[in-house]
Amino acid sequence: MDPNSGGIQALTALAREAAEFIIEEARGSPVRLFHHIDADGLASGAIAAAALMRMDVTFHSSGEKGLFEPVVGRLAAAEYSFFISADLGSGHKDLLSPLCEGRKMIILDHHSPAGSCPGEVVEVNPHLVGLDGTVEVSSSGVAFLLYRELTGRVDMAPIALVGAVGDLQDVGGFTGVNAEIRDLAVREGMIAERTDLRLFGGPDYPLLLALERTVDPYIPGVSGSSGGALELLERLGIEPKKGDDWTRLADLSDEERRSLTSEVVKRMLSAGLEADPERVMGKSYLMVGEPRGSPLRDLRSFATVLNACGRMGRPEIGVLLCLGLRGKYLEQAMEALAEYRSEVARFVGEFSRTSSGGGGGGVLLIDGRGKLRDTTIGTVTSIISKSSAAAGALAVVGWAEASPGILKVSARLTGEGAASGINLDEAVRSAAEAVGGSGGGHPVAAGGYVPEGELERFIRLLRERLRA
């Protein structure tokens, strides 16, 4: 028997309770839906929106960078009596009080629950039923369970997996609810699996564009550089085009594939980046109904596009892609992706050249003010946490301006920090709250918002907690 089966059934029961709540309370009145702007947030928001549309429920939806007082104040000022929060809320229920008092709310989330919220609230969260929201299911999987209960349909299963992949829950293989959704999608002929080099677009995407557009894994000199991608292929003797047809990863011989993989690993290692085998080579999940050559056919690439849409201030485009729209929306998404990878590649390259490495007090600090958007600091922090610049550090912490006087902070454990058993969710949450901010997330990756004038104290408190 699956050891997770009891928890999965219990989570499904919570989703059923939320579905009944919507059926009883939301019909006839507009719903306010808000969600996070990363891949999982956009996917979960889109799945919730799809459910409301199928039920003919009027709603207003928006992507939010995070929950802090100005955001909650803006949401509370609107005259809605029913709210749905996706990939936001569980970790900051106290902040949601203005939305909950005298109103109704559903929270679809996978972050560790904290605080309490008055009023009629149904929270669907794996942690409440003994499941690990870090690896077993993301918010998009939670939203999918609600969608299935409301509509009886399973067509949004691939989008649920896109969100899970965006939160790196496929690393090491899907487990728990994610594995069940994957098995369902495979049985229904919606996705197919194969093992290959993990490049943007997957095996059926033009190889030259795939190399240039790959951000995870970050390939020095190639990611974000069309010239660098072309130079790499020429060095290996791989023609980017054969006649009028682009060369694709699937077209390579075994020898060409081995040479390309070896060169990618060499470039990563020479730049001091971790060449984790599971990040370089692994299972690809392909959306069968998406045309060959589409950047959305590969689920990892779909997640990358969603992240770019959210990080570059176009979350609504990502939601529309999840709902099946293409055409001009896909064109706009690819423009956002180009801008996204350019910003990330430029900063990571500059940091790698100028950083002396290591981290004082166990923390490597990255000041992105004036150089990075608050929405890209998390991506940069994640990449640098896997580089030689972070050697000797337990965590990498970066920040960028979110609004006047408010900083978005992002923290990632290094390999050494993860091995030490540190819980970043608890450390960042308590340090941020101690300086009048808010924070939280997952044990290995967390973030939050702190007053700019309290940055030094926040870092000092965080260091103390990491050493505790």
Side-chain angles (χ1 to χ4, degrees):
M1 176 180 289
D2 183 352
N4 293 308
S5 60
I8 293 172
Q9 291 172 5
L11 186 63
T12 300
L14 284 179
R16 187 172 303 119
E17 180 185 349
E20 293 170 353
F21 193 41
I22 291 175
I23 292 171
E24 294 172 1
E25 303 291 346
R27 287 186 181 276
S29 61
V31 170
R32 185 64 167 91
L33 167 65
F34 59 97
H35 53 82
H36 196 215
I37 61 167
D38 67 2
D40 188 37
L42 297 181
S44 56
I47 294 171
L52 295 174
M53 287 190 288
R54 290 201 174 277
M55 295 178 66
D56 291 323
V57 173
T58 302
F59 68 96
H60 172 204
S61 175
S62 67
E64 305 293 346
K65 294 189 289 186
L67 286 181
F68 46 105
E69 289 186 2
V71 172
V72 175
R74 170 168 50 81
L75 293 170
E79 295 184 359
Y80 289 93
S81 61
F82 200 108
F83 289 84
I84 299 177
S85 175
D87 201 34
L88 288 169
S90 282
H92 306 285
K93 287 197 286 290
D94 291 340
L95 280 175
L96 292 177
S97 293
L99 300 184
C100 302
E101 293 174 354
R103 314 193 209 195
K104 301 173 178 66
M105 170 171 281
I106 289 175
I107 299 174
L108 308 172
D109 206 348
H110 71 129
H111 297 94
S112 298
S116 61
C117 190
E120 297 182 68
V121 180
V122 176
E123 182 177 5
V124 189
N125 188 307
H127 292 280
L128 299 177
V129 294
L131 295 176
D132 187 351
T134 305
V135 295
E136 294 182 283
V137 63
S138 68
S139 293
S140 55
V142 171
F144 171 74
L145 295 181
L146 173 65
Y147 176 84
R148 186 171 63 177
E149 291 297 321
L150 282 170
T151 69
R153 301 171 61 96
V154 297
D155 54 302
M156 296 299 284
I159 302 303
L161 295 175
V162 169
V165 169
D167 265 17
L168 305 181
Q169 294 192 352
D170 63 320
V171 177
F174 284 128
T175 61
V177 179
N178 287 329
E180 290 215 349
I181 296 174
R182 178 213 45 211
D183 293 345
L184 169 65
V186 171
R187 284 197 309 271
E188 294 292 325
M190 292 184 282
I191 67 167
E193 300 179 46
R194 64 177 292 167
T195 300
D196 216 325
L197 188 62
R198 287 183 156 175
L199 297 180
F200 178 85
D204 300 321
Y205 197 65
L207 183 57
L208 179 65
L209 297 178
L211 288 165
E212 176 191 352
R213 293 174 176 175
T214 295
V215 176
D216 184 13
Y218 179 77
I219 309 172
V222 175
S223 295
S225 171
S226 57
L230 180 60
E231 183 273 333
L232 172 58
L233 292 181
E234 291 176 342
R235 175 191 293 269
L236 298 176
I238 299 174
E239 297 180 4
K241 293 185 74 172
K242 294 180 180 179
D244 294 331
D245 296 327
W246 288 101
T247 299
R248 306 169 194 271
L249 184 60
D251 299 329
L252 300 185
S253 66
D254 289 343
E255 182 178 350
E256 288 174 326
R257 186 177 279 100
R258 283 194 296 270
S259 296
L260 178 59
T261 303
S262 176
E263 184 64 24
V264 168
V265 170
K266 285 179 183 176
R267 289 185 179 228
M268 293 175 69
L269 292 175
S270 65
L273 295 171
E274 282 184 22
D276 184 345
E278 287 193 9
R279 302 293 290 276
V280 176
M281 177 75 72
K283 280 190 177 180
S284 294
Y285 297 93
L286 307 179
M287 199 177 301
V288 175
E290 194 71 21
R292 184 173 183 259
S294 166
L296 306 183
R297 183 172 168 85
D298 175 74
L299 299 193
R300 280 172 54 87
S301 302
F302 201 146
T304 298
V305 172
L306 292 186
N307 269 320
C309 289
R311 306 305 186 190
M312 294 294 110
R314 301 302 307 273
E316 73 284 356
I317 299 298
V319 170
L320 292 174
L321 294 180
C322 290
L323 293 174
L325 281 74
R326 299 293 183 263
K328 66 178 182 180
Y329 302 111
L330 180 55
E331 292 176 5
Q332 292 172 24
M334 297 310 291
E335 291 172 0
L337 176 64
E339 187 179 357
Y340 172 66
R341 67 171 186 267
S342 176
E343 182 170 315
V344 170
R346 181 175 62 251
F347 188 91
V348 170
E350 179 182 337
F351 188 88
S352 298
R353 288 191 298 272
T354 59
S355 173
S356 58
V363 180
L364 176 63
L365 305 177
I366 302 173
D367 188 347
R369 286 175 290 188
K371 299 178 181 179
L372 288 172
R373 300 168 188 249
D374 60 319
T375 51
T376 59
I377 186 65
T379 302
V380 167
T381 303
S382 181
I383 291 172
I384 292 175
S385 71
K386 300 177 181 67
S387 73
S388 59
L394 298 173
V396 176
V397 178
W399 57 87
E401 186 179 52
S403 61
I406 301 293
L407 297 178
K408 167 65 188 297
V409 295
S410 178
R412 300 290 185 272
L413 288 184
T414 63
E416 183 178 342
S420 69
I422 292 171
N423 188 322
L424 266 188
D425 172 39
E426 295 176 357
V428 171
R429 184 191 307 276
S430 62
E433 290 177 352
V435 300
S438 62
H442 301 292
V444 298
Y449 296 88
V450 300
E452 188 166 15
E454 296 286 351
L455 176 62
E456 291 186 9
R457 190 157 71 99
F458 166 76
I459 293 171
R460 175 172 57 80
L461 292 173
L462 181 60
R463 282 176 167 148
E464 290 174 359
R465 284 156 175 75
L466 293 178
R467 291 195 297 264

